[in-house]
Amino acid sequence: MSVIVNEVRRSTYLDSIVLMRISRQLAELPGVEEAGLVIGTPANKEILREAHILGPDGAKAEPGDLIVALRAKDSAAAEAALAEAKRLLEHPEISGAPALENASRTMRAAFQRMPDANLALISVPGHFAAAEARKALAFGLNVMIFSDNVPIEEEMALKREARERGLLVMGPDCGTAIIGGVPLAFANVVPRGDIGLIGASGTGIQEVSCLVARAGGGISHAIGTGGRDLRAEVGAIATLMAIDALEADAATRHIVLISKPPAEAVARLVLDRVARSRKPFTICFLGARDLALPANARCAATLKAAAELAMGRAAENGPTQLSLLRADGGKLVRGLFAGGTLCAEAQIVFRQAGLAVASNVPVPGAAAIADANRGHLMIDLGADEFTRGRPHPMIEPSVRDRPLIDALADPAVGVILIDVVLGYGGHRDPAGHVANVINSHDRRPLILASVTGTDRDPQPRDAQVQRLTEAGVIVAESNADAADMAIRAIGG
Amino acid sequence: MILDAASDVVMIVRSGVLAREFCRQNAHAEVAAVFERSLYLRYADMFVCLGAPAIGNGPLTLIADFRPARLHRGQGASISARGIMIGDAARLSFDRCEPWQPPRWPLALSPRELIDVGQAIAARSAIEAPAEGLGRVHAQGRGETPLGRIARGRIARFASWLRGALETDRVSLAESNAVQDLIGLGPGLTPSGDDFLAGALALLDALAEIKAHAALAGAINASPRRLTSPLSGCLLRAAAAGHIGEHLHRAIAAVISGDVDTAVAAIRNIGHSSGWDMLAGATTALSVVATARSPGSRRRP
């Protein structure tokens, strides 16, 4: 017998996104059949009545009140859910943005609290980021700029100023770094080791660092540069400084560079610097062709290959019978990615296999999505058209819901390819979210996934893999492996 | 940071017309709600929003480089011609404050083109609007959720009511249930139905449908206050008086100019589902107006 419970909070105003997030979290609790958080207007009470979750307390609510309405399979589940609702409402930051009570309001105050700090992480609206970065440089701090929407002229000026001061500017739009074993922004818990990473791409660094970690290796430092550092205007200032830093770092044995293909002149600049290094390099310029590499460097076409070359051995491929998977029905592959670089890597694997592929962020040789003609499609859900005004899919996995539901319903789609990216900054249960969407649909094309993370992440990888496996998803050891399995499954 | 380090006074840099009026009329207010980037001050059934530049300008908004993390609901605020003081924790000054008003509306496309724009937006909403709210319900014409099942018929009744308001000079208040039924409907800090009506009002204003705008505003103002929350009611009445925020203005200007990408980008800046709800209201009104303006319609000249 289902149990309905309502709690009414008088004159309570919460941000809409917090209300939605708490509502979804409650709905996902064990034994909860339906949950809603709405203000107590007459119209909303009708909705709750229609959903069979309006109780006597909720019926008395006023328009300025907040109604928490739950229906659960039994009293114990209802009480547990109500307790969780109270906890989340008392501390709405638990469900989303962190509390800022202890944060310093100014760069000066932050520096005074931590006078030994040598790095500032800046995450403010883009048009304020450069000003804050300049303040940090003035305090002698290296800077990681997480913010995007910083004009490239500002980036150029900041990086030149930093270079003159002997400081490094990572970013703007730098999503991932691991400095001295400390994960910054979106990063995973990986052991320290002798491989140094330099990446213009956040998820590229995450995938390589996690593949290295799961194969028993470790990372000395992972330095993000921002997506535009290798453009001609910026001239690889951060990349070259990062190479200098890792060259001088005794703990770093091998250096991996990860980026989209740079401008030709910039590539020459970077490779000239690589040639002067005493250390071996792996160059992973995803989609680049005809790279003339110095003797101490090798080219990796994929992130997986980069990890293998850096370690000097092959990564785990997973059970061999997975290569025998076959798609039933549809013959098209639909890739739905939270990680932009993982989307690019999947396209490259398809192009290497001689298959046409289209994307909203096409790599060289792939078609633009507007030119796609019912072929294989790889969608970067972190691209601007999906994330304007809402969180990145690594934070809010529901960004993928609609495209995933569409792909599940499309009879032409035989294989769905997804990534799940774990680590600090990410959603607390991205695999569980995907599994819930899949479980609510009858049609099941072959669904292949990669899980970028480690068992020591805030969302342990082994548990996340299990959530996907229980939903019938085949989990590959790497994103490249998942793309390769997709090709085999459609007989490509 | 526009912060006077010597005095810790935060400068209010822009104010909406209703927000400044609120501050002229009231010497005291109370903190009604605190969010990450903004807070609401309340006196009686009037509210103003005080927030960081990223929230965008609005008629009831005061913009300051300001983070309200240390403030809390229930704190008192003193208001003077020079500024606002909230408890002992925040001092804000009007010394560098400039008024904000939205720009004029651009010229609208032809009725045929407007119908095409409405369809293009519906296609985007069907895929991109969040599952909560009315954006997807309206675009897909389906109602699998409890909100969808209730809202679908009410949106259709509203469209029919608006058609009547455009085709005749008289709209009976008795028929205004079609408007009232949407007020207070749906999730969010501002219920989806309120946002839907704000979007419809903005669209009617942008297309200079003066009588229809007045009819809709009249129906909203005549509705019982208890249909929605005091905060949302305040914002809705502002929209009925022709005052809307920067992001909605930009979205509607883009809609009547045929720039669907800009319209969608602008509404993504408004809350979680609120922007999409507003766009649903705007495209509902757009469809009705464009059809009424098309050759062969029954509309009186």
Side-chain angles (χ1 to χ4, degrees), chain A residues 93-119:
Chain A
E93 71 279 4
I94 295 171
S95 70
L100 296 171
E101 287 292 332
N102 296 319
S104 300
R105 287 186 61 192
T106 65
M107 187 67 69
R108 178 183 296 279
F111 187 68
Q112 285 169 346
R113 283 175 66 172
M114 290 188 69
D116 296 333
N118 67 352
L119 185 147

PDB file of all heavy atoms in Angstrom, chain A residues 93-119:
ATOM      1  N   GLU A  93      22.811  23.624  -0.625  1.00  0.00           N
ATOM      2  CA  GLU A  93      24.091  23.501  -1.314  1.00  0.00           C
ATOM      3  C   GLU A  93      24.518  22.051  -1.452  1.00  0.00           C
ATOM      4  O   GLU A  93      25.307  21.708  -2.326  1.00  0.00           O
ATOM      5  CB  GLU A  93      25.174  24.298  -0.580  1.00  0.00           C
ATOM      6  CG  GLU A  93      25.629  23.718   0.753  1.00  0.00           C
ATOM      7  CD  GLU A  93      24.688  24.062   1.910  1.00  0.00           C
ATOM      8  OE1 GLU A  93      23.643  24.694   1.658  1.00  0.00           O
ATOM      9  OE2 GLU A  93      25.003  23.684   3.047  1.00  0.00           O
ATOM     10  N   ILE A  94      23.985  21.146  -0.582  1.00  0.00           N
ATOM     11  CA  ILE A  94      24.355  19.727  -0.659  1.00  0.00           C
ATOM     12  C   ILE A  94      23.952  19.166  -2.014  1.00  0.00           C
ATOM     13  O   ILE A  94      24.619  18.339  -2.596  1.00  0.00           O
ATOM     14  CB  ILE A  94      23.647  18.910   0.447  1.00  0.00           C
ATOM     15  CG1 ILE A  94      24.146  19.350   1.810  1.00  0.00           C
ATOM     16  CG2 ILE A  94      23.886  17.418   0.258  1.00  0.00           C
ATOM     17  CD1 ILE A  94      23.348  18.754   2.948  1.00  0.00           C
ATOM     18  N   SER A  95      22.840  19.668  -2.509  1.00  0.00           N
ATOM     19  CA  SER A  95      22.316  19.118  -3.753  1.00  0.00           C
ATOM     20  C   SER A  95      22.950  19.750  -4.969  1.00  0.00           C
ATOM     21  O   SER A  95      22.668  19.350  -6.083  1.00  0.00           O
ATOM     22  CB  SER A  95      20.807  19.327  -3.830  1.00  0.00           C
ATOM     23  OG  SER A  95      20.528  20.693  -4.006  1.00  0.00           O
ATOM     24  N   GLY A  96      23.770  20.751  -4.784  1.00  0.00           N
ATOM     25  CA  GLY A  96      24.307  21.378  -5.972  1.00  0.00           C
ATOM     26  C   GLY A  96      25.502  22.236  -5.659  1.00  0.00           C
ATOM     27  O   GLY A  96      26.527  21.745  -5.225  1.00  0.00           O
ATOM     28  N   ALA A  97      25.346  23.536  -5.855  1.00  0.00           N
ATOM     29  CA  ALA A  97      26.481  24.435  -5.682  1.00  0.00           C
ATOM     30  C   ALA A  97      26.964  24.413  -4.235  1.00  0.00           C
ATOM     31  O   ALA A  97      26.173  24.354  -3.308  1.00  0.00           O
ATOM     32  CB  ALA A  97      26.059  25.841  -6.051  1.00  0.00           C
ATOM     33  N   PRO A  98      28.254  24.454  -4.039  1.00  0.00           N
ATOM     34  CA  PRO A  98      28.787  24.414  -2.685  1.00  0.00           C
ATOM     35  C   PRO A  98      28.516  25.710  -1.931  1.00  0.00           C
ATOM     36  O   PRO A  98      28.328  26.760  -2.516  1.00  0.00           O
ATOM     37  CB  PRO A  98      30.286  24.236  -2.914  1.00  0.00           C
ATOM     38  CG  PRO A  98      30.534  24.803  -4.265  1.00  0.00           C
ATOM     39  CD  PRO A  98      29.293  24.548  -5.054  1.00  0.00           C
ATOM     40  N   ALA A  99      28.505  25.630  -0.620  1.00  0.00           N
ATOM     41  CA  ALA A  99      28.312  26.829   0.184  1.00  0.00           C
ATOM     42  C   ALA A  99      29.525  27.743   0.048  1.00  0.00           C
ATOM     43  O   ALA A  99      30.636  27.282  -0.135  1.00  0.00           O
ATOM     44  CB  ALA A  99      28.134  26.424   1.635  1.00  0.00           C
ATOM     45  N   LEU A 100      29.267  29.035   0.119  1.00  0.00           N
ATOM     46  CA  LEU A 100      30.349  29.985  -0.047  1.00  0.00           C
ATOM     47  C   LEU A 100      30.653  30.711   1.252  1.00  0.00           C
ATOM     48  O   LEU A 100      31.363  31.694   1.272  1.00  0.00           O
ATOM     49  CB  LEU A 100      29.965  30.997  -1.131  1.00  0.00           C
ATOM     50  CG  LEU A 100      29.789  30.393  -2.523  1.00  0.00           C
ATOM     51  CD1 LEU A 100      29.188  31.420  -3.471  1.00  0.00           C
ATOM     52  CD2 LEU A 100      31.117  29.917  -3.074  1.00  0.00           C
ATOM     53  N   GLU A 101      30.108  30.203   2.368  1.00  0.00           N
ATOM     54  CA  GLU A 101      30.250  30.889   3.633  1.00  0.00           C
ATOM     55  C   GLU A 101      31.706  31.161   3.992  1.00  0.00           C
ATOM     56  O   GLU A 101      32.043  32.189   4.541  1.00  0.00           O
ATOM     57  CB  GLU A 101      29.595  30.065   4.751  1.00  0.00           C
ATOM     58  CG  GLU A 101      28.086  30.085   4.723  1.00  0.00           C
ATOM     59  CD  GLU A 101      27.509  31.455   5.069  1.00  0.00           C
ATOM     60  OE1 GLU A 101      28.153  32.196   5.808  1.00  0.00           O
ATOM     61  OE2 GLU A 101      26.422  31.762   4.581  1.00  0.00           O
ATOM     62  N   ASN A 102      32.581  30.206   3.713  1.00  0.00           N
ATOM     63  CA  ASN A 102      33.957  30.349   4.138  1.00  0.00           C
ATOM     64  C   ASN A 102      34.864  30.886   3.045  1.00  0.00           C
ATOM     65  O   ASN A 102      36.071  30.913   3.202  1.00  0.00           O
ATOM     66  CB  ASN A 102      34.488  29.001   4.632  1.00  0.00           C
ATOM     67  CG  ASN A 102      33.725  28.541   5.857  1.00  0.00           C
ATOM     68  OD1 ASN A 102      33.432  29.337   6.730  1.00  0.00           O
ATOM     69  ND2 ASN A 102      33.373  27.268   5.895  1.00  0.00           N
ATOM     70  N   ALA A 103      34.273  31.280   1.943  1.00  0.00           N
ATOM     71  CA  ALA A 103      35.095  31.750   0.840  1.00  0.00           C
ATOM     72  C   ALA A 103      35.542  33.186   1.106  1.00  0.00           C
ATOM     73  O   ALA A 103      34.843  33.960   1.747  1.00  0.00           O
ATOM     74  CB  ALA A 103      34.303  31.690  -0.455  1.00  0.00           C
ATOM     75  N   SER A 104      36.710  33.521   0.601  1.00  0.00           N
ATOM     76  CA  SER A 104      37.168  34.905   0.686  1.00  0.00           C
ATOM     77  C   SER A 104      36.500  35.698  -0.420  1.00  0.00           C
ATOM     78  O   SER A 104      36.298  35.199  -1.523  1.00  0.00           O
ATOM     79  CB  SER A 104      38.690  34.945   0.513  1.00  0.00           C
ATOM     80  OG  SER A 104      39.308  34.184   1.522  1.00  0.00           O
ATOM     81  N   ARG A 105      36.203  36.971  -0.128  1.00  0.00           N
ATOM     82  CA  ARG A 105      35.501  37.775  -1.123  1.00  0.00           C
ATOM     83  C   ARG A 105      36.446  38.401  -2.126  1.00  0.00           C
ATOM     84  O   ARG A 105      36.028  38.843  -3.177  1.00  0.00           O
ATOM     85  CB  ARG A 105      34.674  38.860  -0.438  1.00  0.00           C
ATOM     86  CG  ARG A 105      33.459  38.324   0.255  1.00  0.00           C
ATOM     87  CD  ARG A 105      32.611  39.453   0.771  1.00  0.00           C
ATOM     88  NE  ARG A 105      32.149  40.312  -0.325  1.00  0.00           N
ATOM     89  CZ  ARG A 105      31.589  41.495  -0.148  1.00  0.00           C
ATOM     90  NH1 ARG A 105      31.433  41.973   1.044  1.00  0.00           N
ATOM     91  NH2 ARG A 105      31.184  42.203  -1.180  1.00  0.00           N
ATOM     92  N   THR A 106      37.688  38.512  -1.789  1.00  0.00           N
ATOM     93  CA  THR A 106      38.627  39.154  -2.704  1.00  0.00           C
ATOM     94  C   THR A 106      39.890  38.319  -2.827  1.00  0.00           C
ATOM     95  O   THR A 106      40.193  37.493  -1.967  1.00  0.00           O
ATOM     96  CB  THR A 106      39.037  40.555  -2.191  1.00  0.00           C
ATOM     97  OG1 THR A 106      39.751  40.383  -0.962  1.00  0.00           O
ATOM     98  CG2 THR A 106      37.822  41.442  -1.949  1.00  0.00           C
ATOM     99  N   MET A 107      40.631  38.572  -3.911  1.00  0.00           N
ATOM    100  CA  MET A 107      41.898  37.884  -4.103  1.00  0.00           C
ATOM    101  C   MET A 107      42.865  38.218  -2.960  1.00  0.00           C
ATOM    102  O   MET A 107      43.570  37.354  -2.450  1.00  0.00           O
ATOM    103  CB  MET A 107      42.492  38.309  -5.455  1.00  0.00           C
ATOM    104  CG  MET A 107      43.724  37.552  -5.853  1.00  0.00           C
ATOM    105  SD  MET A 107      43.396  35.818  -6.201  1.00  0.00           S
ATOM    106  CE  MET A 107      42.451  35.964  -7.720  1.00  0.00           C
ATOM    107  N   ARG A 108      42.836  39.476  -2.540  1.00  0.00           N
ATOM    108  CA  ARG A 108      43.738  39.891  -1.455  1.00  0.00           C
ATOM    109  C   ARG A 108      43.430  39.113  -0.180  1.00  0.00           C
ATOM    110  O   ARG A 108      44.330  38.585   0.479  1.00  0.00           O
ATOM    111  CB  ARG A 108      43.600  41.388  -1.196  1.00  0.00           C
ATOM    112  CG  ARG A 108      44.480  41.900  -0.049  1.00  0.00           C
ATOM    113  CD  ARG A 108      44.232  43.382   0.208  1.00  0.00           C
ATOM    114  NE  ARG A 108      44.607  44.191  -0.929  1.00  0.00           N
ATOM    115  CZ  ARG A 108      45.861  44.572  -1.199  1.00  0.00           C
ATOM    116  NH1 ARG A 108      46.840  44.194  -0.400  1.00  0.00           N
ATOM    117  NH2 ARG A 108      46.128  45.305  -2.251  1.00  0.00           N
ATOM    118  N   ALA A 109      42.140  39.007   0.148  1.00  0.00           N
ATOM    119  CA  ALA A 109      41.762  38.289   1.371  1.00  0.00           C
ATOM    120  C   ALA A 109      42.148  36.818   1.266  1.00  0.00           C
ATOM    121  O   ALA A 109      42.629  36.222   2.244  1.00  0.00           O
ATOM    122  CB  ALA A 109      40.259  38.425   1.594  1.00  0.00           C
ATOM    123  N   ALA A 110      41.972  36.235   0.103  1.00  0.00           N
ATOM    124  CA  ALA A 110      42.337  34.827  -0.076  1.00  0.00           C
ATOM    125  C   ALA A 110      43.845  34.643   0.095  1.00  0.00           C
ATOM    126  O   ALA A 110      44.302  33.694   0.742  1.00  0.00           O
ATOM    127  CB  ALA A 110      41.898  34.344  -1.456  1.00  0.00           C
ATOM    128  N   PHE A 111      44.602  35.582  -0.461  1.00  0.00           N
ATOM    129  CA  PHE A 111      46.057  35.477  -0.365  1.00  0.00           C
ATOM    130  C   PHE A 111      46.515  35.644   1.073  1.00  0.00           C
ATOM    131  O   PHE A 111      47.446  34.972   1.539  1.00  0.00           O
ATOM    132  CB  PHE A 111      46.708  36.532  -1.269  1.00  0.00           C
ATOM    133  CG  PHE A 111      48.195  36.394  -1.369  1.00  0.00           C
ATOM    134  CD1 PHE A 111      48.763  35.307  -2.017  1.00  0.00           C
ATOM    135  CD2 PHE A 111      49.040  37.332  -0.806  1.00  0.00           C
ATOM    136  CE1 PHE A 111      50.133  35.165  -2.113  1.00  0.00           C
ATOM    137  CE2 PHE A 111      50.408  37.206  -0.890  1.00  0.00           C
ATOM    138  CZ  PHE A 111      50.964  36.115  -1.546  1.00  0.00           C
ATOM    139  N   GLN A 112      45.835  36.552   1.802  1.00  0.00           N
ATOM    140  CA  GLN A 112      46.206  36.753   3.212  1.00  0.00           C
ATOM    141  C   GLN A 112      45.899  35.506   4.042  1.00  0.00           C
ATOM    142  O   GLN A 112      46.604  35.194   4.999  1.00  0.00           O
ATOM    143  CB  GLN A 112      45.471  37.973   3.771  1.00  0.00           C
ATOM    144  CG  GLN A 112      46.081  39.285   3.265  1.00  0.00           C
ATOM    145  CD  GLN A 112      45.237  40.494   3.586  1.00  0.00           C
ATOM    146  OE1 GLN A 112      44.075  40.370   3.960  1.00  0.00           O
ATOM    147  NE2 GLN A 112      45.812  41.675   3.407  1.00  0.00           N
ATOM    148  N   ARG A 113      44.834  34.809   3.687  1.00  0.00           N
ATOM    149  CA  ARG A 113      44.513  33.573   4.424  1.00  0.00           C
ATOM    150  C   ARG A 113      45.502  32.466   4.120  1.00  0.00           C
ATOM    151  O   ARG A 113      45.733  31.590   4.943  1.00  0.00           O
ATOM    152  CB  ARG A 113      43.097  33.097   4.038  1.00  0.00           C
ATOM    153  CG  ARG A 113      42.004  33.897   4.707  1.00  0.00           C
ATOM    154  CD  ARG A 113      40.657  33.475   4.218  1.00  0.00           C
ATOM    155  NE  ARG A 113      40.326  32.114   4.602  1.00  0.00           N
ATOM    156  CZ  ARG A 113      39.127  31.576   4.406  1.00  0.00           C
ATOM    157  NH1 ARG A 113      38.173  32.283   3.848  1.00  0.00           N
ATOM    158  NH2 ARG A 113      38.887  30.351   4.771  1.00  0.00           N
ATOM    159  N   MET A 114      46.033  32.450   2.897  1.00  0.00           N
ATOM    160  CA  MET A 114      46.978  31.397   2.495  1.00  0.00           C
ATOM    161  C   MET A 114      48.211  32.041   1.864  1.00  0.00           C
ATOM    162  O   MET A 114      48.396  31.979   0.649  1.00  0.00           O
ATOM    163  CB  MET A 114      46.318  30.439   1.490  1.00  0.00           C
ATOM    164  CG  MET A 114      45.248  29.555   2.090  1.00  0.00           C
ATOM    165  SD  MET A 114      44.703  28.325   0.879  1.00  0.00           S
ATOM    166  CE  MET A 114      46.146  27.281   0.743  1.00  0.00           C
ATOM    167  N   PRO A 115      49.059  32.647   2.685  1.00  0.00           N
ATOM    168  CA  PRO A 115      50.211  33.363   2.104  1.00  0.00           C
ATOM    169  C   PRO A 115      51.209  32.445   1.409  1.00  0.00           C
ATOM    170  O   PRO A 115      52.023  32.926   0.616  1.00  0.00           O
ATOM    171  CB  PRO A 115      50.839  34.057   3.326  1.00  0.00           C
ATOM    172  CG  PRO A 115      50.302  33.333   4.516  1.00  0.00           C
ATOM    173  CD  PRO A 115      48.974  32.795   4.141  1.00  0.00           C
ATOM    174  N   ASP A 116      51.156  31.139   1.699  1.00  0.00           N
ATOM    175  CA  ASP A 116      52.084  30.220   1.036  1.00  0.00           C
ATOM    176  C   ASP A 116      51.544  29.665  -0.279  1.00  0.00           C
ATOM    177  O   ASP A 116      52.225  28.887  -0.952  1.00  0.00           O
ATOM    178  CB  ASP A 116      52.406  29.032   1.962  1.00  0.00           C
ATOM    179  CG  ASP A 116      53.131  29.491   3.215  1.00  0.00           C
ATOM    180  OD1 ASP A 116      53.810  30.536   3.139  1.00  0.00           O
ATOM    181  OD2 ASP A 116      52.996  28.830   4.252  1.00  0.00           O
ATOM    182  N   ALA A 117      50.330  30.039  -0.622  1.00  0.00           N
ATOM    183  CA  ALA A 117      49.744  29.507  -1.858  1.00  0.00           C
ATOM    184  C   ALA A 117      50.585  29.936  -3.054  1.00  0.00           C
ATOM    185  O   ALA A 117      51.161  31.028  -3.061  1.00  0.00           O
ATOM    186  CB  ALA A 117      48.313  30.020  -2.008  1.00  0.00           C
ATOM    187  N   ASN A 118      50.652  29.081  -4.065  1.00  0.00           N
ATOM    188  CA  ASN A 118      51.380  29.478  -5.287  1.00  0.00           C
ATOM    189  C   ASN A 118      50.510  29.361  -6.526  1.00  0.00           C
ATOM    190  O   ASN A 118      50.987  29.494  -7.645  1.00  0.00           O
ATOM    191  CB  ASN A 118      52.663  28.651  -5.450  1.00  0.00           C
ATOM    192  CG  ASN A 118      52.377  27.195  -5.732  1.00  0.00           C
ATOM    193  OD1 ASN A 118      51.236  26.763  -5.663  1.00  0.00           O
ATOM    194  ND2 ASN A 118      53.417  26.444  -6.035  1.00  0.00           N
ATOM    195  N   LEU A 119      49.210  29.092  -6.321  1.00  0.00           N
ATOM    196  CA  LEU A 119      48.331  28.979  -7.480  1.00  0.00           C
ATOM    197  C   LEU A 119      46.927  29.453  -7.114  1.00  0.00           C
ATOM    198  O   LEU A 119      46.432  29.153  -6.023  1.00  0.00           O
ATOM    199  CB  LEU A 119      48.274  27.515  -7.951  1.00  0.00           C
ATOM    200  CG  LEU A 119      47.499  27.227  -9.234  1.00  0.00           C
ATOM    201  CD1 LEU A 119      48.147  26.064  -9.989  1.00  0.00           C
ATOM    202  CD2 LEU A 119      46.033  26.887  -8.983  1.00  0.00           C
TER     203      LEU A 119
END
